[in-house]
Amino acid sequence: MTVSRVINRTGNVKEETQAAVDAAIAKLNYAPNPAARSLAGAMQIRVGLLYSNPSAAYLSELLVGAVEEASRCHVQLFIEKCPPDGGALAVARQLVAEGVDGLLLPPPMCDSQTLIDYLAKVSTPCVVIASGVASKNVSSVGIDDFAAAQAMTSHLLELGHTRIGFISGNPDQSASARRQQGYEQALKARGIKPAPELIEPGLFTYRSGLDAAEKLLRLRSPPSAIFASNDDMAAATVAVAHSQGLAVPSDLTVCGFDDTLMATTIWPELTTVRQPIDQMSRAALAMLVDAVKARRAGQSAPVRKESMDYTLVRRHSDAAPRRRPPAARLGQS
């Protein structure tokens, strides 16, 4: 430690001790190893990332962004899986006890007020990622889910669809409600009253997308388009359509949300809303590092809100509705 203080000129070393260390360095022709110093620096800021997202494609982009930014900033990143039954608080307590300097909270932890309140109580900075309605006192990075869903629904209306099904996301996540509100607002703006039978609940999982799509396509008057709240559920909708003998997009338009790898690994490739998940993750980690540095300097880090741009990406799963007789659809009830 004494040699380290001398090399880094951090003080707290007697003059004669510093002179002795400098003499030894000169005699040994010693030079600090940049790689080793980077590793040592990584230990100076320790950040935890909690995850419990059912979409592997979403999680992959989230982690890539965080890992790459952590490497760039020489930050040590702890990635911890949280139980789906609300065990995030216990994981956060353990990380805080082990000395992490801050936490990244992506969905669904981004909406846990209990978790956010605990971190505030123990003075541990956090940044939430992709919350539909982030807390006023917590820094956040995300997109405007309401505007993005409104834009996608408006796109479907412009194609000529008037009966548009919607598969919502997990009700425990604020982004789910914002996306449904955007869908409903776009319909209302065109004078179309949202039909309750055209809205099916989902959980952002492929399985929930299968269940929701089957119910929508069994309606006596099924939708000509289905907008799912994420790509996993949209991919499931495409699978259900194919199983019922419907061609996508000529018989049924299907659109998703996120633009994860899933969107381009099925056929037809999905029209979807792209939110820059990896960029959001990078920005959140950089924001958290700034907050940790401010705290160490005895300063209060300002609450920052960064809203990133979304993009409507049109591929091969959407088209104008084709008018077909009701008997042509399968599996109706």
Side-chain angles (χ1 to χ4, degrees), residues 234-302:
T237 301
V238 172
V240 171
H242 289 165
S243 73
Q244 295 193 13
L246 300 174
V248 177
S250 56
D251 295 327
L252 177 71
T253 280
V254 179
C255 298
F257 202 109
D258 287 338
D259 197 23
T260 59
L261 185 61
M262 177 71 79
T264 55
T265 53
I266 66 167
W267 182 259
E269 294 184 351
L270 290 173
T271 291
T272 187
V273 172
R274 181 176 191 274
Q275 62 170 334
I277 300 167
D278 58 337
Q279 295 177 35
M280 289 157 55
S281 183
R282 289 188 181 94
L285 192 141
M287 197 179 289
L288 183 57
V289 168
D290 288 344
V292 170
K293 289 180 178 178
R295 182 187 176 210
R296 290 185 174 183
Q299 303 170 354
S300 296

Side-chain angles (χ1 to χ4, degrees), residues 135-283:
S135 171
K136 294 180 180 180
N137 300 322
V138 178
S139 293
S140 63
V141 180
I143 65 167
D144 188 335
D145 291 277
F146 176 91
Q150 186 178 33
M152 177 60 81
T153 307
S154 296
H155 166 67
L156 296 176
L157 290 165
E158 289 167 4
L159 287 175
H161 297 279
T162 55
R163 197 161 171 79
I164 303 170
F166 183 77
I167 303 177
S168 62
N170 193 314
D172 292 336
Q173 296 184 35
S174 58
S176 300
R178 294 293 291 163
R179 292 174 193 180
Q180 183 171 332
Q181 290 164 3
Y183 155 80
E184 293 177 350
Q185 182 57 41
L187 293 177
K188 292 175 182 177
R190 295 295 183 94
I192 301 172
K193 184 178 180 180
E197 72 272 14
L198 290 179
I199 301 175
E200 282 293 331
L203 295 171
F204 288 133
T205 63
Y206 188 89
R207 177 72 256 179
S208 69
L210 291 175
D211 295 339
E214 287 174 354
K215 292 178 181 178
L216 288 170
L217 293 177
R218 284 177 181 155
L219 292 172
R220 186 173 300 278
S221 178
S224 61
I226 295 178
F227 174 22
S229 291
N230 79 342
D231 293 335
D232 289 55
M233 297 191 297
T237 301
V238 172
V240 171
H242 289 165
S243 73
Q244 295 193 13
L246 300 174
V248 177
S250 56
D251 295 327
L252 177 71
T253 280
V254 179
C255 298
F257 202 109
D258 287 338
D259 197 23
T260 59
L261 185 61
M262 177 71 79
T264 55
T265 53
I266 66 167
W267 182 259
E269 294 184 351
L270 290 173
T271 291
T272 187
V273 172
R274 181 176 191 274
Q275 62 170 334
I277 300 167
D278 58 337
Q279 295 177 35
M280 289 157 55
S281 183
R282 289 188 181 94

Side-chain angles (χ1 to χ4, degrees), residues 27 45 56 67 69 82 84 87 95 99 109 111 119 121 130 135 160 167 179 191 210 215 232 247 250 293 306 315 325:
K27 182 177 180 180
I45 294 182
V67 169
E69 184 65 19
C82 299
L95 286 173
M109 280 70 64
D111 291 312
L119 294 174
K121 182 179 179 180
S135 171
I167 303 177
R179 292 174 193 180
L210 291 175
K215 292 178 181 178
D232 289 55
S250 56
K293 289 180 178 178
E306 184 169 351
R315 295 195 177 97

